[in-house]
Amino acid sequence: MQDDNDKSGGIFDLAGRKEGDEQAAHPGGQKLRKLPKRFYEKAEAAPGEGGHTVLLDGKGVKTPSRRSLVVPSEALARAMAEEWNAQTEEIDPRVMWFTRLANTALDLVEPRHDVVTEEIVKYGGSDLTCYRAEYPEGLVALQAAHWDPVLTWARDELGASFVTTSSIIQVPQDADALDRLRRAVAGLDAFRVAALHNMTTLTGSALIALAMVRGRMDAEAVHQAAHVEEAWAVQLCGEDEEERIRLETRRSEIADTARFLALLDEGAV
């Protein structure tokens, strides 16, 4: 028999993948997975073993892999508790961004830190900032304005010099540059690697993502750097409503990931 504490685990099977969103919008006759009912009255942050956790009616939350959901800072635990308290009749993991990232850190990053590091380094091997347009001049200038500072930062702070190209064919990056990127990622804890991996996939750039994790770019600068071509298209053709909504969603996701990183630094143990 499953007790209330067990109910807090497993609901995030919907999180971290697209299935939940795809099922919610599926136009066919596929039976949708129901969201779990809210089973608790109150969520609150509390000290946990080696950090801080969330209690649901006094019982600790578990990750989908049944690990204790313990995070480094009280501020992050409070933000996660707010997510749990904000749920109404059902629990929707898709809107619980901080809890999802914490689960990812504990279940998917911590046990396979090296593998996730290599996934990020692979992005660096074909980084968005390294592939430039030859024309028109306006787009070339816009790319340079947003991407050159990122490459300069990587060179000056990481000692990693990345090669740029105007070719559509992937250009191999210097092994030393990738190794320096690897060491920078490997030195981060699981929570920051989870945020870094998420930001890398959102932006298509390991370098932009790492610059944000290192505090060298804020969320809006990251959003602009990651969507240079979209901004150029708006200048030329005007704003498309569907594209505007997509970019605003992306801006929100980037901002939430930046907030997750900021919360990690507030009163961390």
Side-chain angles (χ1 to χ4, degrees):
M1 182 175 179
Q2 193 177 48
D3 63 23
D4 284 351
N5 191 36
D6 287 333
K7 291 178 183 177
S8 66
I11 68 169
F12 281 84
D13 291 346
L14 284 176
R17 301 191 300 269
K18 293 182 178 179
E19 283 92 333
D21 298 286
E22 289 171 352
Q23 288 179 4
H26 199 288
Q30 180 182 0
K31 185 177 179 180
L32 305 184
R33 293 175 62 182
K34 291 183 179 180
L35 294 173
K37 298 292 185 182
R38 176 167 172 162
F39 56 89
Y40 55 92
E41 292 294 326
K42 179 183 178 182
E44 59 185 338
E49 185 175 352
H52 301 269
T53 190
V54 175
L55 301 181
L56 305 179
D57 296 337
K59 298 180 179 180
V61 174
K62 298 288 187 180
T63 70
S65 293
R66 313 306 302 153
R67 304 181 70 184
S68 295
L69 184 57
V70 177
V71 297
S73 77
E74 182 182 2
L76 178 56
R78 288 199 307 267
M80 290 161 52
E82 290 174 5
E83 291 180 328
W84 286 91
N85 281 323
Q87 302 305 298
T88 53
E89 293 183 0
E90 297 176 327
I91 305 171
D92 188 350
R94 293 166 295 178
V95 299
M96 301 172 73
W97 194 263
F98 302 137
T99 305
R100 287 174 62 178
L101 277 176
N103 282 336
T104 298
L106 293 169
D107 283 354
L108 301 179
V109 176
E110 195 169 82
R112 50 197 291 274
H113 198 290
D114 291 347
V115 174
V116 179
T117 295
E118 289 306 314
E119 290 176 2
I120 294 169
V121 173
K122 186 176 180 179
Y123 267 92
S126 56
D127 203 84
L128 171 72
T129 59
C130 296
Y131 290 83
R132 307 297 181 93
E134 290 184 292
Y135 59 87
E137 291 184 2
L139 177 57
V140 172
L142 198 60
Q143 289 176 339
H146 287 285
W147 296 348
D148 284 358
V150 176
L151 295 180
T152 298
W153 169 81
R155 183 195 66 208
D156 293 346
E157 184 160 322
L158 305 181
S161 296
F162 283 80
V163 178
T164 63
T165 181
S166 57
S167 172
I168 61 173
I169 300 173
Q170 183 173 345
V171 175
Q173 295 294 338
D174 183 74
D176 179 68
L178 294 178
D179 189 55
R180 289 175 183 271
L181 173 61
R182 180 179 293 106
R183 292 203 298 269
V185 177
L188 299 172
D189 63 47
F191 291 91
R192 286 172 176 80
V193 171
L196 174 61
H197 188 276
N198 185 69
M199 188 62 61
T200 299
T201 58
L202 286 173
T203 62
S205 170
L207 298 180
I208 290 173
L210 185 59
M212 193 190 80
V213 171
R214 289 282 192 95
R216 297 298 185 266
M217 297 177 72
D218 62 23
E220 184 57 28
V222 167
H223 179 78
Q224 291 181 13
H227 299 98
V228 168
E229 293 187 0
E230 291 89 340
W232 177 250
V234 169
Q235 289 184 33
L236 290 182
C237 306
E239 192 170 61
D240 174 80
E241 181 62 14
E242 288 187 6
E243 180 69 355
R244 184 192 67 79
I245 293 172
R246 185 186 75 84
L247 290 177
E248 283 304 311
T249 299
R250 186 62 56 82
R251 176 181 273 112
S252 176
E253 292 171 343
I254 290 172
D256 284 341
T257 307
R259 179 62 179 152
F260 178 86
L261 287 165
L263 290 167
L264 283 173
D265 291 328
E266 289 185 30
V269 295

